[in-house]
Amino acid sequence: MNEQTKKILNKYLHADRDSLIPILQEIQESEGWLSESSLTEVGRHLNMPVSKVYGVATFYNQFRFQPQGKFHIQVCRGTACHVLGSATVLQEIQKALKIKVGETTKDGLFSLEIVACIGTCGLAPVININGNFHAGVTTESLSEIIESYKEKINI
Amino acid sequence: MSITINVNGNKIEAKAGETVLNVLSDHGIKVPTLCHLKNMFPTGSCRMCVVEHKNTDKLITSCSAIVEEGMEILTHSPRVTEARKVIVELLLSNHPDDCLYCVRNGNCELQGLSQELCVTERRIQGRRNKLPIDTSSVSILRDPEKCILCGRCVRVCEEIMGVACIDISKRGSQSIVSTAFDKGLNTSSCVNCGQCIMVCPTGALTEQSHFAEIKEALSDPNKKVVIQYAPAISVSVAEEFGLEAGKDIAGIMNAALRKIGFDYVFDTSFAADLTIMEESSELIKRITENKNLPLITSCCPAWVKYAEEFVPELIPNISSCKSPQQMAGAIIKSYFADKVHIKKEDIYSVSIMPCTAKKFEGQREEMTNKGISDVDAVLTTREFVKFVKLFGINMHEMQGETADSPLGIRTSAGKLFGASGGVAEAAIRTAYHTLTGSELVKFKIPEIRGLKGQKETQLQIGDLKIGVAVVNGLANAKKLLDEIKAGRKDIHFIEIMACPGGCVGGGGQPINLDEQAVKDRIQSLYRIDDTESIKVSHKNPDVIILYNEFLGKPLGKKSHELLHTEYQKRDVII
């Protein structure tokens, strides 16, 4: 078992299934995603069938089942961003990177997540990549943004 | 306490604490359900059972609502039937339109309800989930497109079987029933019991069919096709052919199977007698050596797989005897083949089982002899019924025939294998004879009969006191095995059957099984035991000849080679 996961599970020694979600959150916090092996370990620890652990985990948007990319893209789908076209932004990102929400590109560079509202409605539609906010995103600016991150790797 | 409610303008007495649905069905008022399972906690997820609650002017789910004094209920008001119709229309909105090609055509609950509620057009178009069929399991097929997410399979798998290899994952329109990590059923902890198929309202869950292979073998002039049928079969199919429910139609089945073209027809109950000869000797041996006790039966392949996955530490306790299906298969391809001068390679061995797990058992590597399978193909009871109809056999016109010799004679002890408690009862009868040299005065052991999930008794045989426990439903088995693991010592012999009621309630039986049908079948088996004269396996004349001519003695060298096997821990996601 992964050392980090072991540490987290040790904090929940006599826990039952009530603790499932906090445990999953802590594991994702420390590893960035939920691997099959960690879900299996959690099931064993809580004496819960892994199918149930998987069922609960996949219910929530917050959990990822692929490791995060080097650049993690959060697309705001809050009301203001929606009005100003965030659906198209999301679609364009999926097309450009050939991944769906919750997935990571094969080269491990980009991963994609939807967030409800970042709280910067004045910048709508907004995306956040590794803590950098990109305001008023359009189809044109999007390809430039993605290219700029790809270049960071080449340097 | 009794309270009064008003249903459709009539006063009805109801017991306090009961659900509205139960009260209605007790009074013969039919309310449609899709997710409801009798005797299990209601989930209220499908909403089909809604009724109008006049006091609050709301539609409530009758499966989860508890009766209250003065409650006024309308079960078939225009508002209610319209609501139910919309529910069916919504369920159909993303459902495939291929009813004609569906295995459940004619006995699909969704189809029945859409007919009942007069759904005649596709009013609502939904996006189909277009998910592939999971063909990975050798026993069970899953077609997610036909799934209506009622959750019955999930609950049976967890609550009755204690396996929980499936659950509903993802959310909203993306929801599906899946295994852990959405992998094939074959990599999951599924024990192939097929109880999920028995409760599935649609064609989303079915068995892997061996139809085509068997038809091909039947038309191959170089193959001798033999067939055996399990003890539970002959009492489980009569109603499917319009005969009296629960009636034993073994003779008619023998005739029908010959007419279809099977070259030899055997009754697996013969092999059940053989299993008893081996297993009772094994029991006595373990008790006298005080080794690997309690002995646990191995007839149920779903239980065996469960043990390999969930309680591998108890594998040494499981009887090394193969199941009757596999013993019959092994004897057919050795002793019988020699006797009729057919090469075993030329025999195609089929069995009819009330079980989907037998399909898995048949292809296990442990169940082969020098690369040749003991059993080549397995039909469920359902498939057998279809087979008879496909070949245009009229069961009403069949004259009863006897099964083929030398594996044709069975005792009523062998027949008891079909009901929970039967294996234990048959084994005790023979063990008593082996130990004391005389027969039991009373053969019946009522403490281990019946539908209860866990039954126990203590028996005095000669100087030995033997504790016997019988469980059906793997969730019940888990409870008992936990006690055993915690050090309980008074039980020496455990019979475990995965399905409720034993094989008569098996996952390969005709769909729409209710408790009464299971009871009828069990009664039929007990009637056979009451009326027939040979009630103990060791007096089966064909079994005696088989030992004299071929096997030698129980647990002997030949038996060990053909009739016994061993199991190993299985690594799956649990």
Side-chain angles (χ1 to χ4, degrees):
Chain A
M1 196 194 326
N2 177 317
E3 277 305 312
Q4 281 310 68
T5 314
K6 206 190 260 175
K7 238 189 219 161
I8 293 166
L9 291 179
N10 277 338
K11 288 202 300 193
Y12 292 88
L13 269 187
H14 302 290
D16 56 17
R17 51 177 69 193
D18 296 358
S19 308
L20 176 60
I21 291 173
I23 292 177
L24 294 179
Q25 281 169 328
E26 274 194 52
I27 292 176
Q28 174 150 305
E29 181 88 350
S30 98
E31 288 168 32
W33 66 299
L34 299 174
S35 65
E36 288 185 10
S37 64
S38 47
L39 288 178
T40 310
E41 283 308 327
V42 171
R44 204 165 290 165
H45 184 81
L46 294 177
N47 206 6
M48 252 179 103
V50 183
S51 65
K52 292 247 163 288
V53 176
Y54 180 74
V56 171
T58 53
F59 181 84
Y60 295 100
N61 278 334
Q62 60 174 305
F63 294 122
R64 303 180 48 80
F65 303 95
Q66 289 184 13
Q68 259 183 19
K70 202 167 171 53
F71 303 113
H72 185 57
I73 308 176
Q74 291 181 318
V75 179
C76 179
R77 289 286 285 125
T79 315
C81 288
H82 175 74
V83 171
L84 290 172
S86 66
T88 316
V89 171
L90 179 64
Q91 221 173 22
E92 290 295 323
I93 297 176
Q94 292 185 347
K95 222 162 49 185
L97 298 176
K98 297 191 182 71
I99 52 170
K100 292 197 196 97
V101 176
E103 293 179 352
T104 303
T105 52
K106 276 201 182 117
D107 56 11
L109 273 190
F110 294 97
S111 52
L112 181 59
E113 182 189 1
I114 285 180
V115 287
C117 178
I118 296 183
T120 54
C121 302
L123 306 178
V126 62
I127 64 173
N128 172 8
I129 304 180
N130 288 7
N132 300 316
F133 289 84
H134 300 268
V137 180
T138 61
T139 309
E140 292 77 41
S141 70
L142 192 65
S143 51
E144 283 168 27
I145 296 168
I146 291 174
E147 280 311 310
S148 71
Y149 281 94
K150 279 185 183 165
E151 270 163 30
K152 280 190 186 172
I153 291 299
N154 295 336
I155 294 163
Chain B
M1 203 183 76
S2 174
I3 57 176
T4 311
I5 65 168
N6 186 311
V7 178
N8 302 333
N10 302 313
K11 282 200 171 130
I12 280 183
E13 291 283 302
K15 251 201 297 195
E18 267 202 285
T19 63
V20 174
L21 182 70
N22 279 351
V23 173
L24 294 174
S25 86
D26 285 349
H27 287 81
I29 301 164
K30 200 189 147 217
V31 168
T33 56
L34 275 175
C35 68
H36 182 67
L37 284 168
K38 217 179 156 188
N39 301 330
M40 280 166 88
F41 195 76
T43 55
S45 65
C46 78
R47 322 305 288 179
M48 269 316 290
C49 68
V50 285
V51 292
E52 202 170 336
H53 186 222
K54 289 293 283 176
N55 317 54
T56 58
D57 202 31
K58 278 184 178 157
L59 292 178
I60 55 169
T61 47
S62 59
C63 70
S64 58
I66 305 295
V67 285
E68 287 164 29
E69 182 65 50
M71 210 174 201
E72 273 187 58
I73 297 286
L74 294 177
T75 61
H76 289 82
S77 67
R79 188 174 162 208
V80 170
T81 48
E82 185 54 32
R84 287 182 194 147
K85 186 177 176 187
V86 172
I87 293 166
V88 170
E89 285 180 315
L90 284 166
L91 286 173
L92 287 173
S93 69
N94 68 346
H95 198 84
D97 267 335
D98 61 352
C99 290
L100 277 177
Y101 308 102
C102 180
V103 64
R104 290 290 296 275
N105 187 19
N107 72 352
C108 165
E109 289 180 45
L110 187 61
Q111 194 184 45
L113 282 172
S114 86
Q115 221 165 35
E116 221 173 281
L117 294 159
C118 307
V119 177
T120 51
E121 59 176 331
R122 187 183 280 273
R123 216 160 47 90
I124 309 162
Q125 281 287 353
R127 198 163 44 89
R128 300 255 291 268
N129 70 20
K130 297 226 169 82
L131 291 166
I133 297 176
D134 178 5
T135 57
S136 64
S137 158
V138 293
S139 293
I140 295 168
L141 276 181
R142 292 192 317 129
D143 184 350
E145 267 208 297
K146 290 181 182 161
C147 175
I148 59 167
L149 298 169
C150 68
R152 283 187 191 168
C153 52
V154 171
R155 286 158 66 205
V156 162
C157 191
E158 183 180 12
E159 293 172 40
I160 306 287
M161 287 299 152
V163 172
C165 68
I166 44 173
D167 194 14
I168 294 182
S169 62
K170 306 191 185 164
R171 74 192 290 176
S173 63
Q174 305 289 312
S175 298
I176 47 165
V177 171
S178 80
T179 58
F181 316 121
D182 203 7
K183 294 190 171 174
L185 205 54
N186 61 335
T187 63
S188 77
S189 57
C190 171
V191 296
N192 306 306
C193 71
Q195 286 299 320
C196 53
I197 301 176
M198 298 300 284
V199 294
C200 182
T202 70
L205 287 160
T206 53
E207 64 266 64
Q208 281 275 17
S209 176
H210 291 172
F211 238 68
E213 295 94 310
I214 297 171
K215 275 200 288 183
E216 199 181 305
L218 281 171
S219 57
D220 183 344
N222 300 321
K223 288 263 183 242
K224 285 283 173 206
V225 189
V226 305
I227 192 157
Q228 53 163 316
Y229 53 85
I233 307 294
S234 69
V235 297
S236 302
V237 288
E239 59 267 43
E240 297 291 315
F241 303 114
L243 299 160
E244 184 197 336
K247 191 181 165 193
D248 177 29
I249 59 162
I252 296 173
M253 280 181 59
N254 293 335
L257 290 168
R258 287 201 184 101
K259 197 144 193 198
I260 288 172
F262 290 99
D263 296 295
Y264 295 94
V265 180
F266 300 121
D267 187 339
T268 312
S269 312
F270 165 87
D273 284 329
L274 189 56
T275 306
I276 289 301
M277 297 301 289
E278 296 290 328
E279 198 159 344
S280 63
S281 303
E282 196 181 11
L283 174 64
I284 293 167
K285 185 164 180 265
R286 290 207 197 176
I287 292 178
T288 41
E289 290 174 3
N290 195 16
K291 223 172 120 188
N292 293 332
L293 285 170
L295 172 69
I296 311 177
T297 57
S298 58
C299 302
C300 173
W303 146 244
V304 170
K305 185 161 187 271
Y306 179 92
E308 292 171 321
E309 295 165 357
F310 291 87
V311 279
E313 64 272 31
L314 289 179
I315 289 176
N317 293 62
I318 297 177
S319 163
S320 65
C321 293
K322 289 183 184 174
S323 72
Q325 164 178 276
Q326 299 304 138
M327 282 203 184
I331 294 294
I332 288 167
K333 288 198 182 177
S334 55
Y335 175 70
F336 171 77
D338 292 347
K339 220 157 177 143
V340 292
H341 309 294
I342 311 170
K343 276 194 285 183
K344 62 179 171 185
E345 292 83 356
D346 294 335
I347 294 180
Y348 191 80
S349 186
V350 183
S351 65
I352 308 171
M353 295 284 142
C355 180
T356 44
K358 288 284 173 191
K359 289 182 189 266
F360 171 79
E361 185 185 58
Q363 57 81 56
R364 285 182 74 121
E365 218 181 314
E366 295 92 335
M367 304 299 172
T368 54
N369 192 1
K370 300 187 184 92
I372 294 178
S373 297
D374 294 343
V375 172
D376 296 295
V378 180
L379 287 174
T380 60
T381 318
R382 294 187 287 272
E383 288 175 288
F384 162 66
V385 172
K386 278 192 193 159
F387 219 72
V388 170
K389 290 180 178 167
L390 177 70
F391 280 81
I393 309 284
N394 184 347
M395 298 294 256
H396 293 263
E397 284 173 4
M398 288 287 140
Q399 291 296 317
E401 291 176 14
T402 52
D404 278 297
S405 200
L407 300 85
I409 302 178
R410 56 145 185 86
T411 70
S412 66
K415 201 70 183 164
L416 285 184
F417 268 58
S420 162
V423 178
E425 199 168 325
I428 297 298
R429 291 178 188 182
T430 292
Y432 186 92
H433 178 260
T434 314
L435 284 168
T436 64
S438 55
E439 298 292 349
L440 278 162
V441 185
K442 274 192 205 144
F443 288 114
K444 239 189 232 182
I445 311 175
E447 293 86 352
I448 54 173
R449 290 189 170 192
L451 277 178
K452 233 173 90 186
Q454 183 176 343
K455 298 164 279 186
E456 284 181 23
T457 186
Q458 294 285 333
L459 298 162
Q460 190 72 39
I461 303 181
D463 304 329
L464 286 177
K465 198 170 163 72
I466 297 183
V468 180
V470 171
V471 283
N472 60 81
L474 287 175
N476 294 320
K478 184 180 183 300
K479 279 182 233 153
L480 175 69
L481 296 175
D482 283 344
E483 290 171 25
I484 300 289
K485 282 192 282 183
R488 196 174 159 188
K489 290 271 180 267
D490 61 327
I491 297 293
H492 304 91
F493 185 46
I494 304 177
E495 176 201 299
I496 298 180
M497 295 293 162
C499 294
C503 304
V504 285
Q509 294 281 64
I511 304 275
N512 303 336
L513 187 69
D514 59 14
E515 211 177 78
Q516 193 51 46
V518 175
K519 280 184 188 158
D520 287 346
R521 290 167 194 170
I522 292 177
Q523 275 321 311
S524 185
L525 292 173
Y526 288 147
R527 219 169 15 249
I528 293 169
D529 189 45
D530 287 341
T531 51
E532 288 186 6
S533 54
I534 312 180
K535 296 188 205 297
V536 287
S537 301
H538 53 270
K539 285 206 176 146
N540 182 329
D542 276 358
V543 167
I544 296 170
I545 294 172
L546 178 66
Y547 276 104
N548 285 343
E549 283 187 2
F550 185 65
L551 288 174
K553 60 178 191 334
L555 308 183
K557 188 172 169 287
K558 204 97 200 173
S559 294
H560 185 76
E561 193 184 305
L562 288 171
L563 309 181
H564 291 259
T565 186
E566 53 192 28
Y567 305 103
Q568 266 154 27
K569 183 177 189 296
R570 197 177 277 271
D571 265 324
V572 291
I573 306 162
I574 56 172

